[in-house]
Each structure stands twice: as C-alpha cells, then as structure tokens.
Amino acid sequence: QVQLVESGGGLVQSGGSLRLSCAASGRTFSGYAMGWFRQAPGKEREFVAAITRNGLRTDYVDSVKGRFTISRDNAKNTVYLQIDSLKPEDTAVYYCAASVDGISRITYQYEYWGQGTQVTVSS
C-alpha cells in the first residue's frame, strides 16, 4: 500500500505559479513511477505529467509542455509539479498517482491515488 497526499493548490491569477507536492508513505517510494493527472468539472480525468522511478525521464501532455515541470525527491518521498504561466483552462483538481509498472499516461495503470488538490486560475 502507498498513501499519497497532495498539497499546494489554491486560487491564483492567470500567469501566476504554483508548486504542488505529493507526499508518499507506505511502501518504498522509489519503486514507483509517479504521475500527475487533473480533472476539470464535467470532464474526464486527464494525464498531465509523469516521471520515472529514478527521475531521469519525464513525460508531459502537449498542453503543458514548457509551463509545467515534474520532479521528485526520493529521499523525501515526494513528487512535485511546478506550474508556471497558469491559464484559466488549467483550473482543475490535480491528483498524483503511483504506478509499479512504470511511466504511463493511462489512468488505470496507476494503482494508488491521492485525494486531489484544487487549482483555480482566475482570468
């Protein structure tokens, strides 16, 4: 079992920045690839970014490339999502997730999920 707790969300103006954190507890954090997903009201949950177990490879959805940066600190059992140049369309609940099978864009390939943190961007 892995428990994930996100934090760092909030209300920010368009163009602003946030840093989301996801703290993991339970099994060895470094044994999991980590992903960030988001879900806007009335929409399906969508992939945002992912990072391999050792942090050497990352993947991003095209709409966030150049604005979002995923990173991890295995010593602190934490994965981060730095969000810059926020846009109103980034408004969503952001979830982190853990996958034992490796980096993926697919929700069902992640076994563990956090409860989410709300990001709201005002125009």
Side-chain angles (χ1 to χ4, degrees), residues 18-70:
L18 285 172
R19 189 193 196 200
L20 307 184
S21 299
C22 173
S25 60
R27 294 198 173 187
T28 305
F29 177 69
S30 59
Y32 295 86
M34 298 298 296
W36 283 97
F37 293 77
R38 65 186 180 186
Q39 188 166 17
K43 295 188 177 181
E44 292 188 354
R45 192 168 298 188
E46 66 169 351
F47 168 78
V48 174
I51 189 167
T52 53
R53 296 178 185 86
N54 58 13
L56 293 182
R57 188 164 66 92
T58 57
D59 186 28
Y60 299 92
V61 68
D62 285 348
S63 60
V64 308
K65 284 181 180 177
R67 299 189 299 121
F68 290 19
T69 304
I70 188 171

Side-chain angles (χ1 to χ4, degrees), residues 18 27 29 31 36 40 51 55 64 74 79-80 89 92 102-103 105 114-115 120 123:
L18 285 172
R27 294 198 173 187
F29 177 69
W36 283 97
I51 189 167
V64 308
N74 286 344
V79 62
Y80 305 97
E89 51 263 43
I103 196 169
R105 293 187 172 203
Q115 83 290 346
T120 304
S123 57

